[in-house]
C-alpha cells in the first residue's frame, strides 16, 4: 500500500483528493521540499524543515503544524511506506478559497501534502558525468524561496531535456546563477566557486553540505560569481542537489569541460559526501 499525508491524515494514495480551488493548484501559491532518504533514514532533514519554515515566512504563509510535530509525521510516513533509498516530497499551499489574487482570510488553513517515492542513487550518472545546456535565467527575483511557482525552471529544464541533456545551467546575462533544480559549481586551479547566497539562487542544502565538507577537508571554497566564459573554461564543473548529490558535468553546449570526464576534486567531494551520508544515517 502507498500511504500519503493529506491535511493531517494518512490515507491511501488513490483516495487522496485536492480541491480545485486550492491556491497551490490555481496559482502555485505554496512551497515545497524534497528530502532524501537513504536506507530508511532521512538525510539533513532538520535543514530541509528549517528551510520550509523560512520559505513559508518569506511568503507570509502559515504552516498548520510546528516543526517537530511535522517532522515526526513525515518520519511516520517514511516508515509506513517502508522506504529504503527514496525521497519524501512535502508541499504546503495557502489553502482553499474562491479564486482571488489577494490572500484569503487568516482562518483559511494551509493545505499540506506529503508523499514518499523510491529513488535509487544515480550511480551511473555520478560515475560517468552528465551533459548540460546553457539557458538564460528568466526567473523572478525571489529564487531564494522554494516556491511551487517553477515555470521559469520548467521551461529551462525542458529546453535541456528535449535536447538530451541532464540539466539546464542558468545565466543572467553573463553571470551563471544555478541549475534549473540544482546549484552549479566550477573548479579552477583547485578552488571551487559557486554563486553567493542571494535572492538569485536557492540556497541548496546539498550546497551547504559541500561547503562544510570543503571547510573540514582543506578544499578551497569560494562564494563568488563566475561568468559563462569561466564556466566553459573551468577545469571541472559539477551540480548539486538532494537527488543528484555531487553530479559531474562533463560537457556544456557541446563544449567538453576539462578532460571530458569527472575531475579529481569532484570525485573527492563525491567520496566525502558518501562518507557524510554514512555518518548521518547510521
Ligand atoms: C531545490 C533546489 C536546489 C537544490 O537544493 P537542495 O536542497 O540541495 O536539494 C537548487 N536550485 C533550485 C532552483 C532548487 O529548486
Amino acid at each position: 500500500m502507498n500511504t500519503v499525508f493529506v491535511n493531517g491524515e494518512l490515507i491511501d494514495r488513490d483516495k487522496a483528493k485536492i480541491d480545485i480551488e486550492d491556491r497551490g493548484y490555481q496559482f502555485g501559491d505554496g512551497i515545497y521540499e524534497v528530502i532524501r532518504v537513504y536506507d530508511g533514514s532521512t538525510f539533513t532533514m532538520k535543514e530541509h524543515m528549517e528551510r520550509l519554515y523560512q520559505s513559508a515566512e518569506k511568503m507570509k504563509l502559515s504552516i498548520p503544524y510546528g516543526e517537530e510535530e511535522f517532522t515526526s509525521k513525515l518520519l511516520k510516513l517514511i516508515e509506513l511506506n517502508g522506504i529504503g533509498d527514496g525521497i519524501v516530497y512535502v508541499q504546503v499551499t495557502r489553502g482553499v478559497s474562491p479564486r482571488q489574487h489577494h490572500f484569503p482570510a487568516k482562518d483559511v488553513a494551509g493545505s499540506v501534502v506529503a508523499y514518499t517515492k523510491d529513488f535509487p542513487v544515480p550511480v551511473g550518472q555520478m560515475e560517468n558525468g552528465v551533459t548540460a545546456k546553457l539557458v538564460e535565467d528568466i526567473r523572478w527575483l525571489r529564487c531564494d524561496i522554494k516556491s511551487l511557482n517553477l515555470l521559469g525552471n520548467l521551461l529551462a529544464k525542458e529546453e535541456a531535456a528535449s535536447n538530451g541533456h541532464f540539466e539546464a545551467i542558468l545565466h543572467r546575462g553573463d553571470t551563471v546563477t544555478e541549475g534549473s533544480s540544482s546549484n552549479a559549481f566550477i573548479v579552477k586551479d583547485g578552488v571551487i566557486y559557486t554563486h553567493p547566497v542571494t535572492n538569485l539562487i536557492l540556497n541548496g542544502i546539498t550546497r551547504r553540505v559541500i561547503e562544510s565538507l570543503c571547510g573540514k577537508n582543506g578544499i578551497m571554497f569560494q562564494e563568488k560569481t563566475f561568468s559563462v566564459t569561466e564556466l566553459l573554461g573551468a577545469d571541472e564543473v559539477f551540480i548539486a542537489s538532494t537527488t543528484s548529490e555531487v553530479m559531474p558535468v562533463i560537457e556544456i553546449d557541446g563544449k567538453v569541460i576539462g578532460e571530458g570526464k569527472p575531475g579529481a576534486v569532484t570525485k573527492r567531494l563525491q567520496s566525502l559526501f558518501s562518507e557524510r551520508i554514512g555518518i548521518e544515517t547510521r
Side-chain angles (χ1 to χ4, degrees):
M1 195 179 84
N2 185 6
T3 302
V4 299
F5 177 92
V6 181
N7 294 326
E9 286 187 88
L10 291 166
I11 56 172
D12 193 83
R13 164 72 182 93
D14 299 332
K15 305 234 158 57
K17 293 267 183 307
I18 291 293
D19 196 287
I20 58 169
E21 285 187 315
D22 190 282
R23 290 178 65 95
Y25 179 63
Q26 291 194 316
F27 297 121
D29 187 7
I31 51 173
Y32 74 104
E33 282 294 327
V34 178
I35 305 164
R36 198 67 165 102
V37 181
Y38 292 112
D39 199 17
S41 302
T42 57
F43 179 66
T44 58
M45 179 142 194
K46 179 125 189 70
E47 289 82 348
H48 281 277
M49 293 306 283
E50 275 172 17
R51 188 173 63 189
L52 183 73
Y53 282 82
Q54 284 159 5
S55 291
E57 205 177 308
K58 290 172 178 179
M59 303 247 304
K60 302 186 172 73
L61 189 133
S62 117
I63 299 178
Y65 322 102
E67 194 182 317
E68 254 174 61
E69 187 188 356
F70 201 175
T71 301
S72 66
K73 286 174 197 290
L74 296 175
L75 293 176
K76 180 95 197 281
L77 182 68
I78 293 162
E79 194 187 319
L80 269 176
N81 286 332
I83 296 300
D85 285 345
I87 56 127
V88 54
Y89 175 85
V90 191
Q91 100 169 26
V92 184
T93 75
R94 209 179 305 274
V96 178
S97 76
R99 188 180 182 283
Q100 59 178 17
H101 286 57
H102 59 266
F103 295 174
K106 284 261 182 297
D107 60 347
V108 173
S111 305
V112 183
V113 165
Y115 58 80
T116 59
K117 234 167 88 99
D118 290 320
F119 197 100
V121 177
V123 264
Q125 288 166 321
M126 283 166 59
E127 241 171 71
N128 300 317
V130 297
T131 67
K133 189 177 193 306
L134 279 161
V135 180
E136 182 71 40
D137 192 346
I138 58 160
R139 299 174 302 161
W140 71 330
L141 297 174
R142 291 306 304 273
C143 299
D144 55 310
I145 303 172
K146 209 162 176 71
S147 130
L148 294 178
N149 265 136
L150 288 171
L151 198 47
N153 308 61
L154 307 187
L155 288 169
K157 183 78 105 193
E158 174 57 20
E159 198 177 323
S162 60
N163 286 289
H165 301 291
F166 180 80
E167 179 61 302
I169 295 183
L170 308 177
H171 58 96
R172 279 190 197 266
D174 198 36
T175 302
V176 175
T177 48
E178 62 174 334
S180 74
S181 60
S182 61
N183 292 113
F185 306 76
I186 62 170
V187 183
K188 188 71 182 174
D189 301 326
V191 185
I192 298 176
Y193 297 91
T194 196
H195 196 289
V197 176
T198 68
N199 60 311
L200 298 183
I201 68 158
L202 194 280
N203 183 3
I205 307 297
T206 318
R207 178 191 183 283
R208 299 184 215 171
V209 172
I210 290 167
E211 182 175 12
S212 127
L213 289 173
C214 287
K216 289 199 166 83
N217 292 280
I219 303 169
M220 285 190 283
F221 182 97
Q222 278 198 27
E223 293 184 287
K224 187 169 178 289
T225 58
F226 52 88
S227 68
V228 169
T229 314
E230 286 169 318
L231 172 77
L232 297 175
D235 300 330
E236 304 177 27
V237 173
F238 63 91
I239 52 173
S241 76
T242 292
T243 51
S244 292
E245 300 184 12
V246 178
M247 182 65 80
V249 178
I250 56 169
E251 194 188 294
I252 301 168
D253 280 6
K255 164 133 194 356
V256 171
I257 304 300
E259 290 169 23
K261 56 180 203 225
V265 176
T266 307
K267 290 206 291 208
R268 169 120 196 271
L269 271 178
Q270 285 181 323
S271 92
L272 291 169
F273 198 88
S274 301
E275 217 174 273
R276 174 70 71 95
I277 293 167
I279 293 165
E280 288 205 13
T281 59
R282 199 160 44 194

PDB file of all heavy atoms in Angstrom, residues 241-269:
ATOM      1  N   SER A 241      22.380  18.665  -5.843  1.00  0.00           N
ATOM      2  CA  SER A 241      21.019  18.746  -5.310  1.00  0.00           C
ATOM      3  C   SER A 241      20.747  17.503  -4.478  1.00  0.00           C
ATOM      4  O   SER A 241      21.541  16.552  -4.483  1.00  0.00           O
ATOM      5  CB  SER A 241      19.989  18.832  -6.428  1.00  0.00           C
ATOM      6  OG  SER A 241      19.816  17.563  -7.030  1.00  0.00           O
ATOM      7  N   THR A 242      19.615  17.520  -3.798  1.00  0.00           N
ATOM      8  CA  THR A 242      19.221  16.404  -2.944  1.00  0.00           C
ATOM      9  C   THR A 242      19.227  15.078  -3.709  1.00  0.00           C
ATOM     10  O   THR A 242      19.709  14.080  -3.197  1.00  0.00           O
ATOM     11  CB  THR A 242      17.820  16.693  -2.357  1.00  0.00           C
ATOM     12  OG1 THR A 242      17.961  17.788  -1.457  1.00  0.00           O
ATOM     13  CG2 THR A 242      17.235  15.506  -1.630  1.00  0.00           C
ATOM     14  N   THR A 243      18.693  15.074  -4.914  1.00  0.00           N
ATOM     15  CA  THR A 243      18.617  13.808  -5.655  1.00  0.00           C
ATOM     16  C   THR A 243      19.853  13.550  -6.517  1.00  0.00           C
ATOM     17  O   THR A 243      20.148  12.408  -6.832  1.00  0.00           O
ATOM     18  CB  THR A 243      17.363  13.759  -6.549  1.00  0.00           C
ATOM     19  OG1 THR A 243      17.312  14.952  -7.323  1.00  0.00           O
ATOM     20  CG2 THR A 243      16.106  13.619  -5.715  1.00  0.00           C
ATOM     21  N   SER A 244      20.594  14.602  -6.906  1.00  0.00           N
ATOM     22  CA  SER A 244      21.773  14.411  -7.760  1.00  0.00           C
ATOM     23  C   SER A 244      23.072  14.310  -6.974  1.00  0.00           C
ATOM     24  O   SER A 244      24.111  13.959  -7.536  1.00  0.00           O
ATOM     25  CB  SER A 244      21.918  15.571  -8.754  1.00  0.00           C
ATOM     26  OG  SER A 244      20.873  15.543  -9.683  1.00  0.00           O
ATOM     27  N   GLU A 245      23.006  14.658  -5.671  1.00  0.00           N
ATOM     28  CA  GLU A 245      24.208  14.718  -4.829  1.00  0.00           C
ATOM     29  C   GLU A 245      25.267  15.579  -5.512  1.00  0.00           C
ATOM     30  O   GLU A 245      24.973  16.701  -5.904  1.00  0.00           O
ATOM     31  CB  GLU A 245      24.727  13.297  -4.534  1.00  0.00           C
ATOM     32  CG  GLU A 245      23.683  12.467  -3.805  1.00  0.00           C
ATOM     33  CD  GLU A 245      24.180  11.076  -3.411  1.00  0.00           C
ATOM     34  OE1 GLU A 245      25.386  10.801  -3.483  1.00  0.00           O
ATOM     35  OE2 GLU A 245      23.335  10.259  -3.004  1.00  0.00           O
ATOM     36  N   VAL A 246      26.500  15.049  -5.664  1.00  0.00           N
ATOM     37  CA  VAL A 246      27.545  15.798  -6.374  1.00  0.00           C
ATOM     38  C   VAL A 246      27.641  15.191  -7.769  1.00  0.00           C
ATOM     39  O   VAL A 246      28.140  14.079  -7.934  1.00  0.00           O
ATOM     40  CB  VAL A 246      28.897  15.686  -5.644  1.00  0.00           C
ATOM     41  CG1 VAL A 246      29.987  16.425  -6.425  1.00  0.00           C
ATOM     42  CG2 VAL A 246      28.782  16.241  -4.222  1.00  0.00           C
ATOM     43  N   MET A 247      27.133  15.899  -8.757  1.00  0.00           N
ATOM     44  CA  MET A 247      27.000  15.330 -10.106  1.00  0.00           C
ATOM     45  C   MET A 247      27.950  16.013 -11.095  1.00  0.00           C
ATOM     46  O   MET A 247      27.822  17.202 -11.374  1.00  0.00           O
ATOM     47  CB  MET A 247      25.546  15.521 -10.558  1.00  0.00           C
ATOM     48  CG  MET A 247      25.231  14.944 -11.915  1.00  0.00           C
ATOM     49  SD  MET A 247      25.386  13.144 -11.945  1.00  0.00           S
ATOM     50  CE  MET A 247      23.839  12.647 -11.199  1.00  0.00           C
ATOM     51  N   PRO A 248      28.940  15.267 -11.613  1.00  0.00           N
ATOM     52  CA  PRO A 248      29.889  15.873 -12.547  1.00  0.00           C
ATOM     53  C   PRO A 248      29.214  16.264 -13.867  1.00  0.00           C
ATOM     54  O   PRO A 248      28.381  15.525 -14.380  1.00  0.00           O
ATOM     55  CB  PRO A 248      30.888  14.731 -12.816  1.00  0.00           C
ATOM     56  CG  PRO A 248      30.590  13.656 -11.829  1.00  0.00           C
ATOM     57  CD  PRO A 248      29.182  13.831 -11.407  1.00  0.00           C
ATOM     58  N   VAL A 249      29.577  17.428 -14.385  1.00  0.00           N
ATOM     59  CA  VAL A 249      29.102  17.869 -15.705  1.00  0.00           C
ATOM     60  C   VAL A 249      30.314  17.849 -16.620  1.00  0.00           C
ATOM     61  O   VAL A 249      31.301  18.545 -16.370  1.00  0.00           O
ATOM     62  CB  VAL A 249      28.486  19.282 -15.643  1.00  0.00           C
ATOM     63  CG1 VAL A 249      28.047  19.738 -17.027  1.00  0.00           C
ATOM     64  CG2 VAL A 249      27.310  19.311 -14.671  1.00  0.00           C
ATOM     65  N   ILE A 250      30.263  17.031 -17.667  1.00  0.00           N
ATOM     66  CA  ILE A 250      31.457  16.830 -18.496  1.00  0.00           C
ATOM     67  C   ILE A 250      31.381  17.543 -19.839  1.00  0.00           C
ATOM     68  O   ILE A 250      32.377  17.643 -20.558  1.00  0.00           O
ATOM     69  CB  ILE A 250      31.732  15.322 -18.712  1.00  0.00           C
ATOM     70  CG1 ILE A 250      30.503  14.634 -19.316  1.00  0.00           C
ATOM     71  CG2 ILE A 250      32.108  14.654 -17.381  1.00  0.00           C
ATOM     72  CD1 ILE A 250      30.787  13.227 -19.805  1.00  0.00           C
ATOM     73  N   GLU A 251      30.199  18.066 -20.157  1.00  0.00           N
ATOM     74  CA  GLU A 251      30.049  18.768 -21.437  1.00  0.00           C
ATOM     75  C   GLU A 251      28.902  19.772 -21.322  1.00  0.00           C
ATOM     76  O   GLU A 251      27.864  19.460 -20.748  1.00  0.00           O
ATOM     77  CB  GLU A 251      29.733  17.729 -22.522  1.00  0.00           C
ATOM     78  CG  GLU A 251      29.878  18.230 -23.939  1.00  0.00           C
ATOM     79  CD  GLU A 251      29.343  17.195 -24.942  1.00  0.00           C
ATOM     80  OE1 GLU A 251      29.923  16.100 -25.059  1.00  0.00           O
ATOM     81  OE2 GLU A 251      28.321  17.501 -25.579  1.00  0.00           O
ATOM     82  N   ILE A 252      29.137  20.991 -21.811  1.00  0.00           N
ATOM     83  CA  ILE A 252      28.087  22.016 -21.777  1.00  0.00           C
ATOM     84  C   ILE A 252      27.964  22.639 -23.157  1.00  0.00           C
ATOM     85  O   ILE A 252      28.958  23.131 -23.711  1.00  0.00           O
ATOM     86  CB  ILE A 252      28.412  23.117 -20.733  1.00  0.00           C
ATOM     87  CG1 ILE A 252      28.566  22.506 -19.333  1.00  0.00           C
ATOM     88  CG2 ILE A 252      27.320  24.189 -20.728  1.00  0.00           C
ATOM     89  CD1 ILE A 252      29.154  23.456 -18.301  1.00  0.00           C
ATOM     90  N   ASP A 253      26.757  22.624 -23.699  1.00  0.00           N
ATOM     91  CA  ASP A 253      26.514  23.157 -25.053  1.00  0.00           C
ATOM     92  C   ASP A 253      27.496  22.564 -26.069  1.00  0.00           C
ATOM     93  O   ASP A 253      27.991  23.272 -26.956  1.00  0.00           O
ATOM     94  CB  ASP A 253      26.626  24.691 -25.070  1.00  0.00           C
ATOM     95  CG  ASP A 253      25.360  25.351 -24.544  1.00  0.00           C
ATOM     96  OD1 ASP A 253      24.461  24.629 -24.076  1.00  0.00           O
ATOM     97  OD2 ASP A 253      25.275  26.587 -24.608  1.00  0.00           O
ATOM     98  N   GLY A 254      27.818  21.289 -25.913  1.00  0.00           N
ATOM     99  CA  GLY A 254      28.709  20.622 -26.868  1.00  0.00           C
ATOM    100  C   GLY A 254      30.185  20.869 -26.600  1.00  0.00           C
ATOM    101  O   GLY A 254      31.050  20.286 -27.250  1.00  0.00           O
ATOM    102  N   LYS A 255      30.490  21.737 -25.629  1.00  0.00           N
ATOM    103  CA  LYS A 255      31.895  22.011 -25.314  1.00  0.00           C
ATOM    104  C   LYS A 255      32.361  21.098 -24.174  1.00  0.00           C
ATOM    105  O   LYS A 255      31.736  21.047 -23.110  1.00  0.00           O
ATOM    106  CB  LYS A 255      32.045  23.493 -24.915  1.00  0.00           C
ATOM    107  CG  LYS A 255      33.347  23.802 -24.214  1.00  0.00           C
ATOM    108  CD  LYS A 255      34.060  25.006 -24.723  1.00  0.00           C
ATOM    109  CE  LYS A 255      35.507  25.128 -24.260  1.00  0.00           C
ATOM    110  NZ  LYS A 255      36.054  24.158 -23.309  1.00  0.00           N
ATOM    111  N   VAL A 256      33.444  20.388 -24.425  1.00  0.00           N
ATOM    112  CA  VAL A 256      33.974  19.457 -23.417  1.00  0.00           C
ATOM    113  C   VAL A 256      34.597  20.241 -22.261  1.00  0.00           C
ATOM    114  O   VAL A 256      35.356  21.187 -22.481  1.00  0.00           O
ATOM    115  CB  VAL A 256      35.028  18.518 -24.070  1.00  0.00           C
ATOM    116  CG1 VAL A 256      35.753  17.692 -23.002  1.00  0.00           C
ATOM    117  CG2 VAL A 256      34.348  17.592 -25.078  1.00  0.00           C
ATOM    118  N   ILE A 257      34.260  19.856 -21.023  1.00  0.00           N
ATOM    119  CA  ILE A 257      34.817  20.525 -19.837  1.00  0.00           C
ATOM    120  C   ILE A 257      36.039  19.734 -19.360  1.00  0.00           C
ATOM    121  O   ILE A 257      35.963  18.514 -19.163  1.00  0.00           O
ATOM    122  CB  ILE A 257      33.766  20.595 -18.707  1.00  0.00           C
ATOM    123  CG1 ILE A 257      32.485  21.298 -19.171  1.00  0.00           C
ATOM    124  CG2 ILE A 257      34.356  21.267 -17.453  1.00  0.00           C
ATOM    125  CD1 ILE A 257      32.648  22.730 -19.630  1.00  0.00           C
ATOM    126  N   GLY A 258      37.122  20.424 -19.138  1.00  0.00           N
ATOM    127  CA  GLY A 258      38.359  19.780 -18.665  1.00  0.00           C
ATOM    128  C   GLY A 258      38.732  18.624 -19.572  1.00  0.00           C
ATOM    129  O   GLY A 258      38.872  18.794 -20.781  1.00  0.00           O
ATOM    130  N   GLU A 259      38.885  17.457 -18.954  1.00  0.00           N
ATOM    131  CA  GLU A 259      39.284  16.289 -19.749  1.00  0.00           C
ATOM    132  C   GLU A 259      38.088  15.467 -20.218  1.00  0.00           C
ATOM    133  O   GLU A 259      38.242  14.328 -20.679  1.00  0.00           O
ATOM    134  CB  GLU A 259      40.242  15.416 -18.932  1.00  0.00           C
ATOM    135  CG  GLU A 259      41.600  16.084 -18.728  1.00  0.00           C
ATOM    136  CD  GLU A 259      42.454  15.362 -17.701  1.00  0.00           C
ATOM    137  OE1 GLU A 259      42.214  14.151 -17.463  1.00  0.00           O
ATOM    138  OE2 GLU A 259      43.342  16.003 -17.129  1.00  0.00           O
ATOM    139  N   GLY A 260      36.893  16.021 -20.030  1.00  0.00           N
ATOM    140  CA  GLY A 260      35.710  15.325 -20.533  1.00  0.00           C
ATOM    141  C   GLY A 260      35.281  14.145 -19.687  1.00  0.00           C
ATOM    142  O   GLY A 260      34.519  13.286 -20.121  1.00  0.00           O
ATOM    143  N   LYS A 261      35.791  14.123 -18.463  1.00  0.00           N
ATOM    144  CA  LYS A 261      35.358  13.096 -17.511  1.00  0.00           C
ATOM    145  C   LYS A 261      35.378  13.691 -16.101  1.00  0.00           C
ATOM    146  O   LYS A 261      35.999  14.745 -15.896  1.00  0.00           O
ATOM    147  CB  LYS A 261      36.263  11.861 -17.625  1.00  0.00           C
ATOM    148  CG  LYS A 261      37.734  12.172 -17.433  1.00  0.00           C
ATOM    149  CD  LYS A 261      38.557  10.899 -17.555  1.00  0.00           C
ATOM    150  CE  LYS A 261      39.841  11.116 -16.830  1.00  0.00           C
ATOM    151  NZ  LYS A 261      41.083  10.804 -17.253  1.00  0.00           N
ATOM    152  N   PRO A 262      34.686  13.050 -15.142  1.00  0.00           N
ATOM    153  CA  PRO A 262      34.648  13.616 -13.791  1.00  0.00           C
ATOM    154  C   PRO A 262      36.054  13.904 -13.266  1.00  0.00           C
ATOM    155  O   PRO A 262      36.947  13.055 -13.356  1.00  0.00           O
ATOM    156  CB  PRO A 262      33.955  12.508 -12.971  1.00  0.00           C
ATOM    157  CG  PRO A 262      33.081  11.809 -13.972  1.00  0.00           C
ATOM    158  CD  PRO A 262      33.864  11.821 -15.256  1.00  0.00           C
ATOM    159  N   GLY A 263      36.257  15.104 -12.747  1.00  0.00           N
ATOM    160  CA  GLY A 263      37.584  15.525 -12.312  1.00  0.00           C
ATOM    161  C   GLY A 263      37.917  15.096 -10.890  1.00  0.00           C
ATOM    162  O   GLY A 263      37.057  14.617 -10.148  1.00  0.00           O
ATOM    163  N   ALA A 264      39.171  15.312 -10.514  1.00  0.00           N
ATOM    164  CA  ALA A 264      39.681  14.834  -9.228  1.00  0.00           C
ATOM    165  C   ALA A 264      38.977  15.483  -8.032  1.00  0.00           C
ATOM    166  O   ALA A 264      38.648  14.810  -7.057  1.00  0.00           O
ATOM    167  CB  ALA A 264      41.184  15.092  -9.154  1.00  0.00           C
ATOM    168  N   VAL A 265      38.737  16.804  -8.100  1.00  0.00           N
ATOM    169  CA  VAL A 265      38.105  17.494  -6.968  1.00  0.00           C
ATOM    170  C   VAL A 265      36.655  17.021  -6.826  1.00  0.00           C
ATOM    171  O   VAL A 265      36.180  16.743  -5.718  1.00  0.00           O
ATOM    172  CB  VAL A 265      38.167  19.033  -7.168  1.00  0.00           C
ATOM    173  CG1 VAL A 265      37.439  19.756  -6.045  1.00  0.00           C
ATOM    174  CG2 VAL A 265      39.618  19.500  -7.262  1.00  0.00           C
ATOM    175  N   THR A 266      35.980  16.889  -7.958  1.00  0.00           N
ATOM    176  CA  THR A 266      34.587  16.418  -7.945  1.00  0.00           C
ATOM    177  C   THR A 266      34.505  15.020  -7.343  1.00  0.00           C
ATOM    178  O   THR A 266      33.646  14.744  -6.492  1.00  0.00           O
ATOM    179  CB  THR A 266      34.027  16.401  -9.384  1.00  0.00           C
ATOM    180  OG1 THR A 266      34.230  17.684  -9.974  1.00  0.00           O
ATOM    181  CG2 THR A 266      32.542  16.065  -9.397  1.00  0.00           C
ATOM    182  N   LYS A 267      35.434  14.159  -7.755  1.00  0.00           N
ATOM    183  CA  LYS A 267      35.412  12.782  -7.252  1.00  0.00           C
ATOM    184  C   LYS A 267      35.724  12.721  -5.756  1.00  0.00           C
ATOM    185  O   LYS A 267      35.135  11.943  -5.011  1.00  0.00           O
ATOM    186  CB  LYS A 267      36.387  11.905  -8.052  1.00  0.00           C
ATOM    187  CG  LYS A 267      35.876  11.670  -9.474  1.00  0.00           C
ATOM    188  CD  LYS A 267      36.376  10.394 -10.099  1.00  0.00           C
ATOM    189  CE  LYS A 267      37.851  10.458 -10.397  1.00  0.00           C
ATOM    190  NZ  LYS A 267      38.226   9.586 -11.546  1.00  0.00           N
ATOM    191  N   ARG A 268      36.626  13.589  -5.334  1.00  0.00           N
ATOM    192  CA  ARG A 268      36.949  13.638  -3.901  1.00  0.00           C
ATOM    193  C   ARG A 268      35.713  14.059  -3.105  1.00  0.00           C
ATOM    194  O   ARG A 268      35.387  13.472  -2.077  1.00  0.00           O
ATOM    195  CB  ARG A 268      38.119  14.620  -3.704  1.00  0.00           C
ATOM    196  CG  ARG A 268      38.436  15.001  -2.293  1.00  0.00           C
ATOM    197  CD  ARG A 268      39.859  14.617  -1.870  1.00  0.00           C
ATOM    198  NE  ARG A 268      40.027  14.637  -0.421  1.00  0.00           N
ATOM    199  CZ  ARG A 268      40.391  15.717   0.275  1.00  0.00           C
ATOM    200  NH1 ARG A 268      40.655  16.847  -0.355  1.00  0.00           N
ATOM    201  NH2 ARG A 268      40.500  15.662   1.589  1.00  0.00           N
ATOM    202  N   LEU A 269      35.012  15.076  -3.619  1.00  0.00           N
ATOM    203  CA  LEU A 269      33.796  15.534  -2.948  1.00  0.00           C
ATOM    204  C   LEU A 269      32.726  14.452  -2.919  1.00  0.00           C
ATOM    205  O   LEU A 269      32.011  14.295  -1.928  1.00  0.00           O
ATOM    206  CB  LEU A 269      33.237  16.767  -3.659  1.00  0.00           C
ATOM    207  CG  LEU A 269      33.755  18.108  -3.185  1.00  0.00           C
ATOM    208  CD1 LEU A 269      33.145  19.216  -4.033  1.00  0.00           C
ATOM    209  CD2 LEU A 269      33.419  18.329  -1.702  1.00  0.00           C
TER     210      LEU A 269
END
